[in-house]
Amino acid sequence: MSNLAIGISHNGAVKLGNQVTCDGFVYGYEYRVQTHVHDDHMSNFDSSKHFQTIIMSEPTRSLLEIRHIEMPHSTNVITHPLNGIREYDGIKIEFKSSSHMLGAVQVSVTTPSGERLGYSGDFSWPLEDVIEVDQLVIDSTYGNPESVRKYTQEEANDAFKEIVGKKIKEGPIIIKGHRGTLYRSLELLNGLVQCPIIASKKKIVEAKVCENYGYCICELTELENPNIRKLRKEGPYIELRYIGEYILYEPGDCTNINLTASWVQGSAPLLKVSNSTYNIAVTDHADFLGTLEYIKETGANVVITDSVRGRNASLLASAITRKLNIEAYPAKIVRSKAWGV
Ligand SMILES: [Zn+2]
Ligand SMILES: [Zn+2]
């Protein structure tokens, strides 16, 4: 194995050199880069607030603030340009957008000795601009060679619009998705339907942040609005929910559309589960082939696959070696008694 300057701690902190962690905390590391706001990347954020300087894009900061994650007013939270390089104590840090969700970035760190170390973060493919590094930690969500999408995101978007346009004539529609994919659907719904689109106050606040950064979202009606019952009786409507969200009110006759990132097999982007339930693959992750293309473009000569967040780290590592002829290993999870390591 090459002399690696990158790694992942058991709690998911991606280590780029000996001063920078990404999306996790390791005691003794001066800087934490926050690539985006998804929960699986937020581990030990409180510890980082106390012991590290946290670097993130401005939209990421806005999204964390509206989730009431208190940001210290002191200088240990720094906003870094979404596409830009800055130097911190001789360490050059570069962000490039990863097109995964609002504010999400790929990170490269150039150490004082000139090593270029990178972390893809969660990313979608194709990407216009890719970090150039020697050593790379890669997200392995779709590292399984079977995770190949046989349609474009454009085709998936069209399928979504078509099913919404058809089913809204029959009654209400519930759209479920994770943050990110749900907000993407707001752009697709914009101008598509005339009926009210209902979302909780919290979701509307988050959607407004997306709008501030250039998303073109549709008009939304607050779920907490006192007239909501009346409005539901008056005619068709669309309601937006997070996957797994606990809801008091379930309409009887409605169509459920699940925006799912996990279902990517098959030749079509739409899966009819029953007469009233459809799954649509609106994903914000690269598939297996996109992941390999990404690695090639970074120019990395050694790759570590993320085995904390993705379940396909070993499969992906052997595919990288086999297909790209690049040295690759699943992250070896090192547990130690030292705190946060
Ligand atoms: Zn994510
Ligand atoms: Zn993730």
Side-chain angles (χ1 to χ4, degrees):
M1 196 187 290
S2 311
N3 211 357
L4 284 181
I6 55 175
I8 303 184
S9 74
H10 77 273
N11 53 20
V14 171
K15 299 190 255 186
L16 302 179
N18 54 18
Q19 286 300 312
V20 182
T21 62
C22 303
D23 300 347
F25 172 72
V26 177
Y27 187 72
Y29 280 62
E30 174 58 30
Y31 298 99
R32 172 190 181 126
V33 168
Q34 190 60 44
T35 64
H36 66 294
V37 302
H38 281 153
D39 291 343
D40 56 329
H41 296 258
M42 288 297 293
S43 96
N44 295 311
F45 194 76
D46 274 334
S47 305
S48 295
K49 278 199 301 199
H50 288 110
F51 295 101
Q52 291 182 290
T53 298
I54 309 176
I55 302 170
M56 62 181 76
S57 69
E58 194 190 309
T60 293
R61 184 177 183 141
S62 304
L63 286 172
L64 288 178
E65 277 169 352
I66 54 161
R67 277 163 66 182
H68 303 290
I69 293 175
E70 225 178 277
M71 244 21 110
H73 289 293
S74 61
T75 50
N76 78 327
V77 176
I78 295 177
T79 50
H80 183 112
L82 198 50
N83 287 290
I85 308 181
R86 274 194 193 158
E87 203 169 309
Y88 305 87
D89 295 330
I91 302 165
K92 252 188 240 154
I93 296 185
E94 179 169 26
F95 281 4
K96 284 186 177 176
S97 165
S98 72
S99 286
H100 170 65
M101 70 167 292
L102 181 67
V105 294
Q106 330 154 48
V107 191
S108 83
V109 165
T110 306
T111 64
S113 60
E115 282 175 309
R116 300 177 311 160
L117 316 169
Y119 172 42
S120 65
D122 289 351
F123 64 101
S124 110
W125 191 258
L127 270 179
E128 260 173 41
D129 210 3
V130 170
I131 51 170
E132 286 169 33
V133 294
D134 306 313
Q135 302 184 18
L136 174 73
V137 177
I138 185 90
D139 176 61
S140 53
T141 303
Y142 292 126
N144 186 326
E146 283 176 13
S147 298
V148 173
R149 218 169 290 138
K150 298 189 177 78
Y151 41 82
T152 63
Q153 192 54 60
E154 203 50 43
E155 287 167 325
N157 294 349
D158 288 345
F160 172 79
K161 287 190 204 165
E162 199 186 314
I163 197 75
V164 170
K166 194 172 136 200
K167 287 290 174 177
I168 199 64
K169 293 181 191 136
E170 298 171 15
I173 298 179
I174 309 288
I175 298 174
K176 290 184 194 158
H178 288 297
R179 270 191 192 89
T181 43
L182 203 58
Y183 298 132
R184 255 172 216 218
S185 76
L186 296 180
E187 287 205 294
L188 301 175
L189 290 170
N190 193 16
L192 184 71
V193 287
Q194 302 306 319
C195 67
I197 299 171
I198 304 170
S200 63
K201 208 186 247 172
K202 210 174 129 199
K203 289 188 196 72
I204 295 178
V205 172
E206 291 202 2
K208 290 284 171 208
V209 175
C210 297
E211 197 173 32
N212 288 344
Y213 289 102
Y215 278 54
C216 185
I217 65 166
C218 55
E219 203 174 310
L220 296 165
T221 305
E222 250 180 49
L223 176 68
E224 294 81 357
N225 181 323
N227 296 323
I228 208 76
R229 278 186 171 196
K230 194 170 147 260
L231 196 142
R232 276 183 174 133
K233 280 186 195 139
E234 274 169 7
Y237 59 90
I238 293 176
E239 202 164 318
L240 304 175
R241 296 182 184 168
Y242 292 136
I243 287 170
E245 187 176 358
Y246 177 71
I247 297 289
L248 279 172
Y249 174 80
E250 287 293 347
D253 257 347
C254 68
T255 302
N256 287 289
I257 298 179
N258 303 315
L259 306 175
T260 161
S262 55
W263 179 76
V264 292
Q265 321 293 347
S267 56
L270 180 99
L271 177 71
K272 185 174 177 181
V273 181
S274 72
N275 277 339
S276 61
T277 304
Y278 298 83
N279 288 354
I280 296 189
V282 177
T283 180
D284 34 27
H285 283 274
D287 72 352
F288 174 71
L289 296 175
T291 303
L292 292 185
E293 287 286 315
Y294 176 88
I295 294 165
K296 236 195 304 182
E297 281 206 20
T298 64
N301 51 47
V302 59
V303 179
I304 296 272
T305 56
D306 186 346
S307 46
V308 175
R309 293 175 191 86
R311 272 176 244 126
N312 299 308
S314 300
L315 281 173
L316 180 59
S318 52
I320 294 167
T321 308
R322 216 176 45 243
K323 291 183 185 275
L324 303 179
N325 205 14
I326 296 173
E327 210 181 325
Y329 311 93
K332 217 163 110 221
I333 304 305
V334 182
R335 287 176 196 277
S336 104
K337 283 182 185 149
W339 176 51
V341 176

